[in-house]
Amino acid sequence: MRTSLDFPDALFKHLKTRAAQEGRTLRDLVIELVERGLSAREVVDPQKRFHARPPVIPSQGPMALPVSQMTNADLYDLINEEDDERTIRLLGRG
């Protein structure tokens, strides 16, 4: 398929120079670079890699402490308690 692309002058010169240095056509170089770009894995920003949404803790009535005053250990206990209850239900022991 034939198409037209409008490259910025500096990019076009860079592509043309690279193609000449490698002894290939501009067309072949651009096709290879586009294919490589499409098959590349998505690069994840290291700052966002470990960004996770906080867990949702379902309310089962009043809590001893407001969530804002709970420590990480308190929150992990709530999460693990829910996981334990779910496991017991799945195993048919509850």
Side-chain angles (χ1 to χ4, degrees):
M1 176 179 267
R2 193 174 277 277
T3 190
S4 295
L5 298 172
D6 184 23
F7 291 111
D9 289 341
L11 176 59
F12 180 76
K13 287 177 187 175
H14 182 87
L15 289 167
K16 193 80 169 155
T17 302
R18 181 167 166 182
Q21 288 173 341
E22 295 178 9
R24 44 200 303 206
T25 65
L26 179 62
R27 176 186 183 276
D28 289 343
L29 176 64
V30 170
I31 288 172
E32 180 194 325
L33 293 172
V34 170
E35 286 175 343
R36 220 188 298 167
L38 290 173
S39 65
R41 293 181 56 182
E42 182 180 338
V43 177
V44 178
D45 180 356
Q47 297 297 322
K48 296 179 183 176
R49 181 183 343 200
F50 297 107
H51 179 73
R53 290 183 283 165
V56 175
I57 301 171
S59 175
Q60 297 175 352
M63 294 187 171
L65 288 173
V67 174
S68 62
Q69 294 179 5
M70 291 184 163
T71 65
N72 284 346
D74 295 331
L75 293 172
Y76 283 121
D77 286 344
L78 284 173
I79 292 168
N80 290 333
E81 181 180 307
E82 181 182 311
D83 288 345
D84 292 345
E85 291 171 4
R86 186 179 306 121
T87 303
I88 289 169
R89 281 195 309 272
L90 289 173
L91 294 174
R93 298 182 183 163

